[in-house]
Amino acid sequence: MPLVRPLALLASAVLLMGAAPAPKHVHPSAPYDLVIRNGRVLDGTGSPWVIADVAIKNGRFVKIGKVDGRGLREIDAQGDYVTPGWIDSMDQSGEVLPINGKAENKVFEGVTTVMAGEGGSPANADKLDAWFTALQKKGISVNFGTYYGACQARMEVMGDKDGRPTPAQEAEQRRRVAVAMRAGAEGIATALIYPPCSFQNTDELVDLAKVAKAYGGIYASHMRDESGDLLKAMDESIEIGEKSGIEVEIFHFKAAYAPEWGKLMNQAVAKVDDARARGVNIAADMYVYTAGGTGLSITVPNWVFADGEKKAIERLRDPKVREKLKQEVTAGSEPGWSNLVQASGGWDHIVLANAYNAKWDKYRYKSIAYIAEQVHEDPADVCWDIVLDALPHRAMGLFFMIDERDIETALKQPWVSIGSDAGASVRFGEIDATGLPHPRAYGNFPRVIAEYVKRRHVITLPDAIRKMTGWPAARLKLWDRGVIREGLRADVTIFNYDRIDDTPSYEHPLAMPAGIDWVIVNGTLVADHGKHTGALPGMVLRGPGYKPH
């Protein structure tokens, strides 16, 4: 893994340049690169805060307590909280970081480390090692790691159609997972709710999970269903963990099913607790919003895609096929497909977020039911017309299918960490890489504190910080970061408890959050008084199976 000390030293030098005379907080000859003084230190373990100084040198914490020596740069954090840098356990930034490594919307949320790959790694297995190397050379402001996709392996070998792999194809998929793990993938991820990923069966996934497990990897999953069949989908994830021995992560844990709000989540929590009691290494991450966000094509039953995307488009244009699909949507979910129209409580709870088409984008943030009324069409026809008119882009929607009671229940669980399911933006102040204008891309992490610690008192501040730092670091085997401890990598987020706020909303999803003043990555300031410094000290995080050439 390439070291970034030259970048860190360069960034420090840049901070020293400019105004003359030097500011009082800059000390040209000092034993430390950076000293944070008088802050309320929450170390990331869940312990209460203590007043302490924190000294950093060469990208690592070197002294915590009373620091007598000076720093090249000093920060007076009196009245603020000093925490480890926040870890996004479920990120979508892989495609955009080579374009914009500054990742401003992540940094301004207090995020210093992101783990991507729900839909697969940004490069295929044979090219992933080179992709990692190129990203590190280009430079990034946050630490970045990624899973390799189980479905990615399948598509590289079989394409996007349904069907069982031959023995030779199974062997080639296993080879690709092994190559990806040696390149530094964190493990394998699945997005089983979406075709063609939904065409992989449990035995195929166990087979690939065994390969990832041999390299110390994780099996992370957007499960087949997060709605009416949530418990059944969880059973599959647990079975994969039990049969392969692999660590299991449930992506964006939710009970997204309006008919069972307030009930289904309690059963889901009990299922995880029972599995953990049996020794299954399973946990979950979540975002803290009542709306999920994804492509509107999820409203189409999966069988439509069984012969590939080209054929699916033909079917979706056929009026006779549409009539059959409407009946299936009305009837509810079917094997292999999770009906998010039903899960959301109807078309009036599905909101257009990005149509990639001027005809429809004038209705952005309006429900599909409302749009249908305006154009005097059936809601299903409107939704599927939007999908087709967006091509080759993916029309996006907000699905209001989560209840606040269930968010609170999930958030209280000690094995839950925080993941945004959102990516960095190519340009700050614009929609993130997923194409989805959702406030979770700009406000998910401060919202945990502002809404669920300050306003609702659902969890304590030390536990909120643990869920964003020490706990996910341990889960992801990031043993050199996640906690403020001498010798570990110095990722730090400093915020003011009174001012921190998740200003992004559904109506204004691209607003900048408030109250996060300083963000430090590997000992280098990337946010200073809420402004991006331009520094790129982030590291590519290779997984436990990494084998350098």
Side-chain angles (χ1 to χ4, degrees):
M1 186 182 298
L3 294 176
V4 294
R5 288 178 185 171
L7 285 177
L9 293 173
L10 176 61
S12 296
V14 169
L15 287 170
L16 293 173
M17 295 172 61
K24 292 181 180 179
H25 57 252
V26 174
H27 300 273
S29 57
Y32 305 114
D33 296 333
L34 177 64
V35 176
I36 305 164
R37 297 198 182 275
N38 308 313
R40 300 175 181 178
V41 176
L42 285 164
D43 67 3
T45 66
S47 298
W49 60 267
V50 296
I51 298 292
D53 302 331
V54 177
I56 297 169
K57 189 173 181 65
N58 293 331
R60 294 183 182 269
F61 298 115
V62 293
K63 188 173 180 59
I64 301 159
K66 187 177 186 300
V67 176
D68 293 323
R70 309 297 298 182
L72 294 176
R73 171 72 190 264
E74 301 235 340
I75 293 175
D76 183 3
Q78 186 170 7
D80 284 352
Y81 285 92
V82 179
T83 77
W86 299 346
I87 297 172
D88 191 337
S89 297
M90 202 275 177
D91 167 76
Q92 301 280 8
S93 297
E95 299 292 342
V96 75
L97 287 181
I99 303 169
N100 176 21
K102 292 195 294 183
E104 294 97 335
N105 59 304
K106 295 290 181 177
V107 168
F108 294 149
E109 276 192 83
V111 169
T112 61
T113 297
V114 302
M115 189 60 63
E118 175 200 20
S121 59
N124 67 30
D126 293 318
K127 296 181 179 180
L128 185 56
D129 181 69
W131 188 93
F132 277 143
T133 300
L135 182 64
Q136 185 68 75
K137 183 177 180 180
K138 183 174 180 62
I140 47 179
S141 291
V142 294
N143 305 305
F144 174 84
T146 185
Y147 296 95
Y148 175 70
C151 183
Q152 190 173 7
R154 177 189 169 97
M155 291 182 67
E156 289 172 14
V157 174
M158 297 177 59
D160 65 353
K161 297 180 181 179
D162 196 0
R164 302 277 73 81
T166 66
Q169 289 172 328
E170 289 176 342
E172 177 60 15
Q173 288 183 52
R174 289 193 296 269
R175 184 195 73 82
R176 288 174 181 268
V177 171
V179 168
M181 293 302 298
R182 290 195 295 271
E186 183 67 20
I188 58 170
T190 58
L192 298 175
I193 199 170
Y194 303 112
C197 305
S198 57
F199 302 142
Q200 281 185 304
N201 67 26
T202 306
D203 289 341
E204 290 179 68
L205 297 173
V206 170
D207 193 37
L208 299 182
K210 288 178 178 178
V211 179
K213 169 64 168 63
Y215 291 92
I218 300 171
Y219 172 81
S221 184
H222 180 158
M223 299 181 298
R224 294 189 195 276
D225 199 295
E226 299 170 325
S227 304
D229 282 335
L230 170 64
L231 302 180
K232 182 179 178 181
M234 292 177 67
D235 285 337
E236 180 184 39
S237 293
I238 292 168
E239 179 183 351
I240 291 167
E242 288 179 317
K243 288 184 174 179
S244 67
I246 201 168
E247 178 180 331
V248 176
E249 178 81 0
I250 299 174
F251 280 149
H252 39 62
F253 188 46
K254 63 174 76 73
Y257 190 57
E260 292 290 329
W261 282 350
K263 300 176 183 178
L264 187 56
M265 177 55 76
N266 294 326
Q267 296 172 285
V269 166
K271 188 171 287 291
V272 173
D273 286 339
D274 289 345
R276 289 184 63 84
R278 298 197 308 272
V280 180
N281 190 355
I282 183 171
D285 56 71
M286 66 180 295
Y287 52 80
V288 286
Y289 293 89
T290 57
T294 190
L296 289 172
S297 58
I298 195 67
T299 61
V300 181
N302 283 351
W303 68 263
V304 173
F305 299 88
D307 297 307
E309 184 178 20
K310 183 177 179 180
K311 183 63 176 179
I313 293 170
E314 292 178 11
R315 287 171 173 161
L316 202 53
R317 294 190 193 281
D318 187 332
K320 292 183 179 179
V321 173
R322 282 203 181 187
E323 289 307 310
K324 175 176 170 58
L325 295 179
K326 290 174 191 176
Q327 293 173 14
E328 292 175 354
V329 168
T330 301
S333 296
E334 59 185 38
W337 176 59
S338 179
N339 186 343
L340 296 196
V341 181
Q342 180 190 57
S344 301
W347 292 105
D348 53 337
H349 295 139
I350 301 174
V351 171
L352 176 63
N354 189 358
Y356 291 99
N357 184 294
K359 173 184 175 181
W360 300 111
D361 263 329
K362 65 183 179 181
Y363 296 111
R364 181 175 287 184
Y365 306 132
K366 301 296 185 182
S367 74
I368 298 298
Y370 173 85
I371 301 170
E373 289 178 0
Q374 301 307 302
V375 298
H376 308 292
E377 298 284 349
D378 183 278
D381 284 320
V382 167
C383 184
W384 300 334
D385 284 346
I386 291 172
V387 169
L388 293 172
D389 289 345
L391 295 172
H393 300 288
R394 186 183 182 208
M396 304 299 288
L398 298 170
F399 294 75
F400 287 84
M401 54 189 179
I402 307 166
D403 187 71
E404 281 288 358
R405 292 170 295 173
D406 295 331
I407 291 176
E408 293 185 5
T409 296
L411 193 59
K412 291 176 182 177
Q413 306 314 310
W415 35 261
V416 166
S417 61
I418 306 301
S420 68
D421 194 12
S425 298
V426 174
R427 287 174 290 275
F428 180 67
E430 296 185 6
I431 299 172
D432 80 337
T434 68
L436 176 69
H438 192 300
R440 67 192 184 195
Y442 282 69
N444 188 60
F445 285 79
R447 180 171 173 80
V448 172
I449 297 172
E451 184 68 20
Y452 296 96
V453 175
K454 281 173 49 174
R455 292 192 280 266
R456 299 193 186 202
H457 311 292
V458 174
I459 56 175
T460 67
L461 182 59
D463 194 38
I465 298 303
R466 183 190 67 85
K467 289 175 176 294
M468 300 193 291
T469 59
W471 170 241
R475 284 283 293 169
L476 295 167
K477 301 178 179 66
L478 306 178
W479 305 118
D480 62 345
R481 63 187 77 238
V483 176
I484 296 179
R485 184 176 297 153
E486 292 178 11
L488 299 191
R489 298 280 181 185
D491 296 339
V492 184
T493 299
I494 304 173
F495 68 94
N496 184 279
Y497 185 79
D498 293 331
R499 289 189 290 109
I500 194 167
D501 197 15
D502 58 311
T503 52
S505 64
Y506 293 114
E507 294 77 17
H508 303 285
L510 308 179
M512 182 172 170
I516 299 171
D517 297 322
W518 292 279
V519 178
I520 299 160
V521 176
N522 296 311
T524 297
L525 276 165
V526 292
D528 187 354
H529 290 91
K531 304 293 184 182
H532 203 294
T533 67
L536 303 171
M539 300 176 69
V540 167
L541 303 176
R542 307 264 192 163
Y546 176 50
K547 305 291 184 184
H549 293 301

